[in-house]
Amino acid sequence: MGSVNTPIQIEVKTANLFAREAKTKALTDLAQLDNDVLLKLAELSKSPKAIEQLKTNFPMIKGFLSN
């Protein structure tokens, strides 16, 4: 089964040019994920508790999930 490339345009709000480039790169990376994973991440992004856990415990979460 093939894939369909669909260019989209979204509004990205950032504090400066460097933040814009970093956010653009992150969104491009996320776009490569399969739909199931992307939808799950989108669901987590709506949870203030999940966002806070990522902000405060990211090194631990990353270490736990790596390897």
Side-chain angles (χ1 to χ4, degrees), residues 14-26:
T14 60
N16 58 51
L17 179 62
F18 299 111
R20 185 185 77 184
E21 289 176 6
K23 191 175 270 193
T24 299
K25 168 84 169 85

Side-chain angles (χ1 to χ4, degrees), residues 18-67:
F18 299 111
R20 185 185 77 184
E21 289 176 6
K23 191 175 270 193
T24 299
K25 168 84 169 85
L27 289 169
T28 301
D29 292 346
L30 288 171
Q32 305 308 309
L33 297 173
D34 66 54
N35 284 349
D36 184 50
V37 173
L38 190 58
L39 291 172
K40 288 175 181 176
L41 287 172
E43 184 177 335
L44 286 175
S45 76
K46 296 173 187 171
S47 167
K49 186 175 181 179
I51 292 169
E52 186 61 30
Q53 289 297 314
L54 281 171
K55 286 181 176 183
T56 58
N57 298 314
F58 184 71
M60 180 188 71
I61 294 167
K62 184 178 177 183
F64 179 74
L65 298 174
S66 297
N67 299 332

